[in-house]
Amino acid sequence: MPVMKDKELRIVGFLCNWCSYGGADTAGVARAEQPTDLRIIRVPCSGRVDPLFIVKALLSGADGVLVSGCHPRDCHYSSGNFYARRRLEVLKHFLPALGIDNARFEYTWVSASEGQRWQQVVTAFTRRIHTLGAAPGFEDAPLLMKTADMAPAPLRPLGTGKNAPLESLKQAIKEKLPDLACVIGWKQGYDDAHTTPLFAKKPEDVDELVWGPLNAANLAVYLPLFKGKKVGIVVKGCDSRSVVELLQENLVAREDVTIFALPCEGTLDMGRVNEKLGRYNVVGGIAHGATNITITTDGQEHDFSMAEYAQNKCRGCTEPEAVLSDVRMGDSPLVQGEAPVPQELALLDAMNLDERRSFWRTQMERCLRCYACRNACPMCVCRDYCISDSRDPHWMTQEAGVTQKLFFQTIHALHLAGRCTGCGECQRACPVGIPILGLRQHIARTVGELFDNYRAGIDPAAVPPLLGYEVEERNIREREWK
Amino acid sequence: MSAIRFATPDGLPAFLARLSENSRILAPAVKPAGKRSVIFEDWHEGMPVILEKATVPPKDAVLPQCETLFTYKKSKNPDNREDVALCLENRAEARPTVIFACRPCDARGFAVLDRPYLKGPFADPYYKAKRANLTVITITCASGCNTCFCHWVGGGPSSPEGSDILMTEIDGGFVLQSMTEAGEKLLESAGLDDGREVFAKAEAARKTAWASLASAPAIKTAPQCIAALFDNEQFWQEHTEACLSCGACTYFCPTCYCFNITDEGDAFDEKGGRRLRSWDNCMSSLFTREASGHNPRTQKALRMRNRIAHKFSTYPENWGAFSCNGCGRCISGCPVCLDIRAVVLNAIAAAASEA
Amino acid sequence: MRIGVFVCHCGSNIAGTVDCAKVAEIAKNFPDVVYADDPMYTCAEPGQAAIEAAIHEHKLDGVVVASCSPRMHEATFRRTVERAGLNRYMFEMANIREHVSWIGKEQQANTNKSAELVEIAVAKLRNNRPLAAKTFDVTKKTLIVGGGVAGIQAALDCAEGGIPVILVERESTIGGKMAKLDKTFPTVDCSACILGPKMVDVAQHPGITLYACAEIEEVSGYVGNFSVKIRKRATYIDWEKCTGCGACSEKCPSKKTPDVFNEFTGTTTAINIPFPQAIPKKAVINAQYCRQFTKGKCGVCAKVCPAGAIDYAMQDSFVTEEVGCIIAATGYELMDWTIYQEYGGGRYPDVITSLQYERLLSASGPTGGHIVRPSDGREPQTIVFIQCVGSRDNSIGRPYCSGFCCMYTAKQAILTKDHLPQSRSYVFYMDIRTPGKMYDEFSRRAVEEYGVEYIRGRVSAVYPDGLGRYVVMGADTLLGEPVEIRADMVVLAVGIEAAKNAPALAEKLRISYDKYGFFMESHVKLKPVETNTAGVFLAGVCQGAKDIPASVAQGSAAAAKALALFARDKLENDPQTAQVDARRCVGCGKCIRCCPFGAITETEIRNEKKAQVIETVCQGCGLCTSTCPQGAVQLSHATDNQILAEVNALCR
Amino acid sequence: MKNATDMSQRHDSGFTVEVGAQSGQKLSACYQCGNCTAGCPASFVYDRQVNQIMRGVQLGMKDEVLDSRAIWLCLSCSTCSLRCPNNIDVAAVMETLRHMARKENRVAVGNVEKFWFSFLNTVRAFGRSWEIGTMALYMMRSLRLFTDLDLAPEALKKQKLGFKPHVVAQGGASSVTRIFKRYKERAEREGVRP
Amino acid sequence: MNYAYYPGCSAKGSSADYEKSTQAVCAVLGMNLVEIPGWNCCGSTPAHAVDTELSAALCSRNLDIAAQQGVEKLLTPCPSCLSNLRHTAKRMENPQFRARVDELLDNPAAPDFPGVTSVMQGMAAHCDANGIASFIRKDLGQLTLAPYYGCLMSRPADIMDFGDPENPTLMECLLAACGAKVLDFPLKTACCGASYGIPERTMTARLSARILRLATDMKADAIVAACPLCQMNLDLRQPQAAKEADAIFAMPVLYFTQIMGLAFGLSPDTLGLEKLRVSASALLDKLEPAPSISKTPVEGGQSCE
């Protein structure tokens, strides 16, 4: 079978120099006939294959991508393929979230002596891609607008935190303040209905600290900026996971950060709150009930029950209390039940691949590429050197097309694999409300499934799954070539 | 003599449909999501007519998020491969465009953009072509809003600056008033009813809107005050601590006009190379990073100083008007609720105390 | 850039199915390509000269050759462009032979594919940068793993060549399998007599440091500068003090300790010296059987030791050695033949392995060199030798020939006749494989002079007849009949396998091993001693079955490789290493965590933590590059932009 | 004196391929170690040893193989398959050869086949085998009227053999009969010997 | 506990004693064997020797009946039946083969067949060695037994799934649990000559003689069989074997169920011992009442599986 009967399709192969490229050579020496579609890019090691190369190829018109390396244990660099196996497997799971059929991507192991196996792999993969046909694009996918359903019931009673021991906390902060450059918390923002970060340096600053459902922002994002200085931070449970993740990644030193924690009763989804408040001139006041807050604007009262207006993530939250803290006050809330599938993810799950491509095209069109999602993300530590706007490396162009925008979301999601705590700041920060959190949730779920229910930001001493490997992976099986 | 017309709510789609025969219509469209947004989009028949203030201003009509200025191709002489010919293709395109239902602040944005792009020593041909083909139909605001402050900076709920037509909602419909020749021409052929009879109602509505605004603080001294604070790094640091450097504020500012130019693609490729102009963001460290790697504004405080100063000090110095028109999007859209008004007022106060 | 493209015909190898001239013509339109040609044989002397000439004539600053696999000729052409004054890394290859012309017959598709492969190569080349190697110092010392005859030979040759040697042996004595043999083929000279002096040389050579009862724990570093952590197992004897007098084992009450050295044909004491010629001649306690350990009291040896060397509290200890190269000589083991239930699966005492038989033959063995049946101590009259037990047997996943069994079986049959002139020996064989000097003559002597009955066929089953003998059910395929022999004793020529922890050692050394655990040489024919990891060499059976002469030869060959390596004072690294852009680096250390070689360290630049690559340690895998989210670490010659250029050339 | 076998004349590669395909075995893997022969309990009655049969198949010597007695005397005990170092299911090859021989009506040991048919006839009739019926039919077919006569008294005394056949209840017998009928009809339709 | 049961034809004829003792011993163990209705002959060796599809059709009919009854696991005492049923189940996984077989059947066979296993394995799964020991009423300590499986029980290994195909040990485990001394009998899986006793008497006689000879030389009190045909060859045809080997044998050949029954204190009559050609009376003489009802755990394993 020299060439597939139909027109050649674009298949890109990334082969490690030591085993698979040699295996392809061996196949050639043995005159093992193969379909001609494949174009091979030689890389030193399968561990060199950044999953982003694969996404880049698939988004740029490749119909299939094949990665092949040395068999596990046989890596010329001893462990490169172990890392590759994890990263590529995560990618394999992730591609469908974008609407890309993951049958278009495969990775395998072929040694330098396995010419016959290489022939079999190329033939089977090419046949598979021909069965799938040319890859559909994003730019011309039919429009499809969909929104997530309401969130399920929370795992704990949500409230406004009005009875939290805020004053005792302020006292505790004041005691520690002399040793700290500042303590990061929340204070009232441009009106009563909005908060803004507080950087308390003097005791009187501490009096401005507020606690309650308006404290949506995850302040952990500021910690790396204070690298080398001693700072305090007030955290909700979810924020504490970001702090743990930063500690795990050496971006903050444990001795430099003092963590103040109160049990969180949930935060408001300000997008929906603002939508309900509509256009108003002034906030006349805000009243905290046990499970609701009332905001008066231009004389009109608006009631927001936590059950209805809490952020989606708060409903599935299993860590209302900080997972790590130095000063902790208040009673531990009771969490019951298992975290449900988050709404944004459920929305993705409910769609087929075609629908997902349409969905993302529809959503991504309005992306401004402001990258607020990135800058609000506590785990986006590259900051000023993000590869999305560099020329060396030159991953992306400034073009405003859907694929560029979606590729950025993929970069963010893949870079967050095993690191994202699901804090949702990316989506919260998006000025045009694109439900990008679903992609991060998708990858977090994959990481959990593949790596023994691993959740980021729980254990500061854990090895992040994609920075480690097992010689025998428990949940990754090589797929057979038949 | 301006043209005045009246349209019922039901009549608006027909009006737009008529306009769309000869022009592209950019009108607000709702994007439902957990966080709802309103975006200017190509309007075509069958779409609802939305009059809400958009999340993102219609700046894109004259200054696209990314535009291809020109493409370039190289081709080799078959007889001498070292002889390479370069061929440029200008891509300045300008379709007649009508912006429908932007707000006065948005429209004033075009006035702010016009100065550097058209009135300086060199007119920008790409901008110029688009601007010349643009007609702006503005809906006046019926009230103020908690984040708006147009009247601080010389605007107002029915400010006509930058608009070709002002449209004001009254009982039972809308009064459309042309403010420019282009607007007049448009209204004359728009097939709408005469509105002179109800024009008074529109004027009354505009007055009511004005009256609803809280009084504006005096910020006339802002240019000098901010200039005076140029070296006060502590002031800028205190006001920038919460900033994430995301620059979302600049992307949905109707008056931010900085851009970046990049080349993409290969000149030998079929598609050719593309010279792209795309929005840039002064809040990003990249904005001032030089090729050598040196960056005069590494701190976000200095970048914030630049943004505030540009809007309230340097631009006014050059052009005699604030380049902020008080739309308030940078406040309502900021992920951490930073308030530019507070910065300006604090700067005036700080300068006063310094002095 | 000014790029020249050379599309090789390779005679008809490529031109047969690829229109090379057309590929060259298409290539002329690629960016920066100013010259393209399609020579007949690019790698031949005129072909290389033409490249050099074109570089000069057309002022080329980059060259693409489309021909065979870069694994074949990349090094060749890099030298070519270097001769013409270009940096060797301003060169790329497109593999249009192994990956195109040899795997498909359709000329149009092949031509198109070749042109695209050239296009990728040009795209990459346009992003290439000249790279320069760094030189680094060499630790002129060799570490040898395994003290069998191959390791001993390598150690002696290295030491004689003036290179210090660290010899690490797992057992308590060196000598390996050869030390257990009685006589050796084809000369039937005494194994101990020829190996013994070499073992003594090892002990006495000032350049050789011997660690017995020791194993490799960790290996880091790279050619020229390996750091090897060695675990010295607790022997419970202070060897500094032990004189090897043997008083301890004379008095040891635990006399039923399995005798490992004698292949379990007898028992020994819990504290013992395996055999009189052991090197080092030091006692070791087998804690599994020593009463001091099993019962918590005894202490006899401590009482009788005149040197006071007994130390029951001894723990494993570690020592780290810095060396420049490593020779693996870990030898082999016999496969577990008891999976052959048809031969009794180890339940019949008189069905034994050839190595056990060797101990029975040996004068220093448990029977003092008398051949007797383990079951009842009687001299056997009929002995059946079965060859290929665990060799050439696909059904148990061992299709390979163990190489030396044919010869030692002939030897054992001859020795049997010497020991027991009245006995009859039968050898069941499939093929006689004796390709060595004097080998076939030797095996013929067994038949012609010693009357050994060779029967061509396998043995299907062996079972006791209930009357004290064994029924051997075989076939004589030459006769075309099944045959049966009542035997007193059955000796199995058990196949070999790689040492049990060979794969684990391979992983530490970062070398490959085949699916049977034998280490992979760099090239089967042309680099049989080298591995794919620079500075790691192979000697002896760890690389594949071989007999004593071949093992000794390979030991010497490995030593020659070590000496050649150390003939230079400085080594050059491969400049395809990772580079850190310190400005982009945020100091998160993810690259440090992943680097398989410890080649990235943390440094401080203006009070900020940054990653730093030790270029001489970096092996160029690029794992760091794909790990760093901000792209701050870039692997030279495989940077993100270089690979992206290739992807972009393919997908648009 | 027998002439040397002309291999080029003899080799019927189609036969080799057919045996390989029907048995599902890789025949070229056989390297003639003789383990099958060594382990075969019936080898002493064979005219050709198992390894010789395998060799014959490899060489495509169809007549020699299909006309051999060995393939009829194979006990199907699978010892050969178990001991084969090359994972060849030799017993399956032997059975395949038997099927091929039967279909071509080459039955070197007629009595074996007659016994099988005697057995199967009782199954066809009653749904279950019937030992006395089998014996009777076999004696008639083979004309060996004294087969196992020495055992009869003991067997009968111990009531080892039933004088009445066991007939399957619930119409099972006729259902089995129909299986045989369809089998025979299909074989005839396909032109092979049932 | 009820178990679906396929007795095989010989249970209704030549090996009625196997059947009788199997039923009796299973009853003691609490296993109630329920015959599947309307079962037919598996075709034995003649069917598959003639045609694989014919053999599969005969077996499929039985497996189909069991499947229709909702049976998950079917027990059979006869290794030949077991082999045919298991081979058929395996071959029917091939759709082309299945289609050919379905043509021969009244109705297409059920898509999924129940698993088939030997009564011996069924016992071991039902009851561990200690459980078996708890039923012992007679001391078999004086008996030395040669376990004999025959060639079909453990081969081919992938089909039969009966432990090491060269060296199965399940019967040893059961017999040891019953208190008997069990020989490591090397010819335990050798072929007895199968049904060739009729067309090729000398072959079967010689093969049986070999087994009888070794058992005699190893001083076994009896050979213990698990296959009706093997038992018939070794017992009923023992004189033929003796004649062929020019020897005198007096080797009782019992079914393993008969031995177990003896240990459980069942009467010879219940176990059909009278049907043996070579009398087991010498064996019975060696039995002694168990010293006490043994509750002591049997060394070396709770389970024979």
Side-chain angles (χ1 to χ4, degrees), chain C residues 342 391-395 430 456-461 473-475 477 480-482, chain D residues 31-35 37-40 43-44 49 51-52 79 83-87:
Chain C
E342 60 265 45
S391 299
R392 302 178 66 197
D393 190 342
N394 262 311
S395 68
M430 290 199 289
R456 202 262 166 217
R458 265 189 187 264
V459 169
S460 177
M473 295 172 64
T477 60
E481 274 180 17
Chain D
Y31 58 31
Q32 285 294 312
C33 70
N35 213 341
T37 297
C40 179
S43 55
F44 65 92
Q49 294 305 324
N51 69 299
Q52 293 172 324
T79 308
R83 304 266 161 83
C84 176
N86 292 309
N87 289 326

Side-chain angles (χ1 to χ4, degrees), chain A residues 308-347:
Chain A
E308 195 184 341
Y309 280 91
Q311 291 202 79
N312 286 340
K313 68 165 181 175
C314 300
R315 298 163 202 276
C317 171
T318 51
E319 278 87 20
E321 249 191 324
V323 294
L324 181 73
S325 60
D326 300 295
V327 177
R328 178 195 302 250
M329 291 174 176
D331 303 325
S332 302
L334 180 69
V335 177
Q336 278 177 315
E338 296 239 329
V341 178
Q343 289 82 337
E344 293 84 354
L345 184 54
L347 175 65

